[in-house]
Amino acid sequence: MKTSRRILLAGLAGLAVAPSAAAAAPAPVADDTTVAEERFARMIAVAHAPDVTCARQAERYADAHWPEYVVAAKAVLNARA
């Protein structure tokens, strides 16, 4: 599977889970996240970047905003387990 397709699917998964997960934990907490959760949160953040066509800007957005997507990443990873 191509990387862009993975990012798109991760972003869609984050959109599907984010509203219900956001109600459960309103404040993003990055202290107890695992490496897998952080990577998945970064992938979701890249997919939600305002300018996805520019890879550098999408990466900068992910670096700045990945803690906001930790709850969604945890929900998706827990659903798969």
Side-chain angles (χ1 to χ4, degrees):
M1 185 181 284
K2 293 184 178 180
T3 303
S4 60
R5 194 174 295 167
R6 284 184 196 157
I7 292 172
L8 177 65
L9 292 174
L12 292 174
L15 283 175
V17 176
S20 61
V29 178
D31 295 336
D32 61 343
T33 59
T34 64
V35 173
E37 291 167 347
E38 180 182 342
R39 287 183 181 172
F40 197 65
R42 285 178 184 270
M43 189 181 301
I44 295 170
V46 166
H48 290 159
D51 187 13
V52 180
T53 57
C54 180
R56 273 187 268 161
Q57 287 181 352
E59 285 295 325
R60 279 190 237 134
Y61 180 85
D63 288 340
H65 296 280
W66 73 267
E68 299 168 13
Y69 296 96
V70 169
V71 175
K74 284 184 179 184
V76 170
L77 290 173
N78 290 336
R80 294 184 68 197

